[in-house]
Structure formats: structure tokens, C-alpha cells
Amino acid sequence: MATRGFFGMRPSAETAKRLPPGQHLTPDFPVLSFGPTPRVDLATWRFTLKAGAKPLASWSWDEFQALPQTEWQGDIHCVTTWSKFNTAWRGVSLDDLFAAAGITPPTPFLLAQSFDDYTTNVPLADVIGGKAMIATHFGGEPLAPEHGGPARLLVPHLYFWKSAKWVNGLKFTERDEAGFWELRGYHMYGDPWREQRFSDDP
Ligand SMILES: Nc1nc2c(c(=O)[nH]1)N[C@H]1C(S)=C(S)[C@@H](COP(=O)(O)O)O[C@H]1N2
Ligand SMILES: [Mo]
């Protein structure tokens, strides 16, 4: 199929149904990071669950690889208006992660934390019940560093800035605490189907 003029093409009815308002389809996988790609060493990599400042559980890279694996295929939507269909991911679901830690999530919100000091907030309800994973593989390959490898959060039903790259932990919080982009004017929740791009969007 020719790709010339791809962006000018009117989407098919099927495509249009799958595109949230204000989005267009891209065959590419753009890279969006606020800074340089951090170098993450697997020998020292750790993933930690915390309640406030208190550590609840933590895994080395090898321990993390031994956790149950989940696969998910579907569409992702970036607030900069591109959407990508049929992306394929593998990793550890947050349900399995919390079960492996032997915890019941203690608060209704969490903040994902990353090696580049990025943070983003999500309600607990949006990451349980099979809705989110810590992804380590994309398209059958280890996740590329520029896309968040070795591991990133994947919350595909929210705008993609909620899918923190280079994650090293999740912090449970009592309140919905704004993360990096949420402090800079992005919406606290970020539902693409309700077009919740900026903080003053309903
Ligand atoms: N740690 C970290 N995670 C991040 C970002 C970042 O700068 N640092 N950018 C966010 C934004 S704004 C987007 S749109 C997506 C982009 O993911 P991609 O580069 O894999 O397309 O990652 C999100 N996760
Ligand atoms: Mo973004």
C-alpha cells in the first residue's frame, strides 16, 4: 500500500471509529521525552512499590522477569494528536505485581516514578483489572531505550504521557498528586475519548 499522502487521506469508517476526537493515525512511533534518554543499567535496576515514603516491595531485574507475563494489543493515543493502532506489548500487569508483593493497594491514587525524575499520577482504579502493565517488550522485542526500555508503565486507555517511560517505582498516594506534565498544565486524568488534554478541559 502506498504511504504517500497518508496523512491527507480521509480515514475509513472503521479507522474513524477507533480514533478519539482530534487525533490522526500514524504508522510511525514518535519519541517524546522531556530530556535525554537515561542510561539504565540492568545490574542495578530495581522496581519499588512505596506507600508514601515507606517501601512495600522491590524487585531486581531478574526477579522482575520471573513474574507472570501479560500481553496486550491495541491502540495508543498521544496528546500531541497522533494515535497508533495495534501496538503489541508484553510485561507484568499491575494486578500480578500487587499480588506478588502480597499487598492490597493502600490508597486510591498513585504516582509513577522514573529514572529521569519524570512522574505522572493515575487513579488506582485505572491500573487494576487488567488495565495497565509494566511493559518490558514491544512488538516481540525488548523495549527500545528511547521508548522507555528497559521498563515503562503502559496505561493505554489514557493519553500516552500517563505511560511513564524508564519507571523505577510506583508510589501510593492518599490524594491525586500532580506529576511532571500535570504540574505544567496537562489534565489530571487525560481521557482521550473526552479530549482531556489540558487542565481546564472538563
Ligand atoms: N520518564 C518519562 N516518561 C515519559 C516521558 C518523559 O519525558 N519521561 N514523556 C511522556 C510523554 S509526554 C509521552 S507522549 C510518551 C511518549 O512515549 P514514546 O516516546 O514511547 O512515544 O511518554 C511519556 N512518558
Ligand atoms: Mo506527550
Side-chain angles (χ1 to χ4, degrees):
M1 195 182 91
T3 52
R4 217 163 84 88
F6 185 90
F7 290 98
M9 272 168 59
R10 174 161 306 186
S12 69
E14 165 67 13
T15 298
K17 250 195 306 197
R18 281 168 68 177
L19 271 180
Q23 297 292 111
H24 69 267
L25 189 59
T26 179
D28 306 322
F29 195 172
V31 172
L32 288 135
S33 312
F34 79 87
T37 295
R39 287 180 57 94
V40 181
D41 184 358
L42 294 185
T44 54
W45 185 92
R46 286 202 81 78
F47 191 91
T48 307
L49 294 180
K50 290 186 243 172
K54 182 176 155 243
L56 297 174
S58 133
W59 295 266
S60 69
W61 181 253
D62 288 344
E63 290 165 345
F64 200 84
Q65 296 315 296
L67 295 172
Q69 299 290 301
T70 291
E71 293 187 0
W72 181 85
Q73 252 197 63
D75 307 341
I76 55 176
H77 312 289
C78 176
V79 71
T80 60
T81 76
W82 57 265
S83 292
K84 185 173 178 60
F85 285 178
N86 305 321
T87 63
W89 302 83
R90 173 157 74 82
V92 178
S93 76
L94 268 56
D95 306 280
D96 287 336
L97 195 66
F98 299 157
I103 62 155
T104 302
T107 66
F109 297 99
L110 34 89
L111 208 51
Q113 304 183 309
S114 299
F115 285 101
D116 62 343
D117 290 332
Y118 186 83
T119 54
T120 189
N121 52 305
V122 277
L124 175 67
D126 286 84
V127 298
I128 57 176
K131 291 201 281 293
M133 70 164 81
I134 305 299
T136 55
H137 289 73
F138 176 81
E141 302 287 335
L143 183 58
E146 63 270 26
H147 287 300
R152 82 181 293 167
L153 178 64
L154 177 69
V155 194
H157 67 287
L158 300 179
Y159 280 126
F160 211 39
W161 88 78
K162 294 290 185 181
S163 293
K165 304 197 278 190
W166 314 297
V167 274
N168 57 22
L170 299 172
K171 183 171 91 165
F172 291 102
T173 61
E174 296 290 346
R175 273 174 230 89
D176 195 12
E177 292 179 23
F180 181 89
W181 281 122
E182 294 82 6
L183 283 169
R184 291 163 176 80
Y186 280 19
H187 198 275
M188 285 294 273
Y189 185 63
D191 180 354
W193 294 97
R194 287 186 278 167
E195 229 181 331
Q196 294 174 329
R197 300 177 191 274
F198 306 110
S199 54
D200 53 354
D201 290 331

